[in-house]
Amino acid sequence: QVQLTESGGGLVQPGGSRRLSCAASGSPYQAYAMGWFRQPPGKEREFVAAFSRTGGHIYYADSVKGRFTISRDNAKKTMFLQMNSLKPEDTAVYYCAFGPGVITSSLRLPNQYAYWGQGTQVTVSS
């Protein structure tokens, strides 16, 4: 069993930056695909970024490529999402998710992930 807790959300101005954290408890931390998803107001949950199950590959949604960076600290069992050059359309509830059996071709599919955090709100507005 894995428990995930996101933090770091808040209000940020357009063009600003924010770093989200996802703290994990339970084990084994390193045997899961790990990803970030978001759900904008009135829309479905969408993929943002993810590590493959082996951790050897990183994938980004086209909408955030070049602006967001996913990273992880295995010793602290924490995953991060550094968000730069934020835009109003980045406003959403951001979730981290872990999936023990997610294959690379399915990394972008929310229904493939077994464990989810409670979400943290990011609002980009002036």
Side-chain angles (χ1 to χ4, degrees), residues 12 16 29 40 46 64 67-68 80 90 106-107 109 111 117-118:
V12 60
Y29 174 77
E46 62 185 32
V64 306
R67 300 188 298 123
F68 290 13
F80 304 97
D90 294 317
S106 299
L107 278 172
L109 303 177
N111 62 8
Q118 82 288 352

Side-chain angles (χ1 to χ4, degrees), residues 33 37 47 50 101-113:
F37 291 79
F47 171 77
V102 183
I103 59 176
T104 299
S105 60
S106 299
L107 278 172
R108 299 170 187 267
L109 303 177
N111 62 8
Q112 297 296 304
Y113 290 76

Side-chain angles (χ1 to χ4, degrees), residues 8-38:
L11 176 64
V12 60
Q13 292 189 340
S17 298
R18 202 81 180 180
R19 189 174 84 153
L20 305 182
S21 299
C22 172
S25 61
S27 62
Y29 174 77
Q30 293 175 263
Y32 296 89
M34 304 176 189
W36 288 97
F37 291 79
R38 66 186 182 186

Side-chain angles (χ1 to χ4, degrees), residues 63-82:
S63 59
V64 306
K65 201 172 294 183
R67 300 188 298 123
F68 290 13
T69 302
I70 189 174
S71 63
R72 56 197 278 183
D73 183 332
N74 291 338
K76 296 182 178 179
K77 292 189 175 182
T78 303
M79 182 174 65
F80 304 97
L81 185 68
Q82 177 66 43

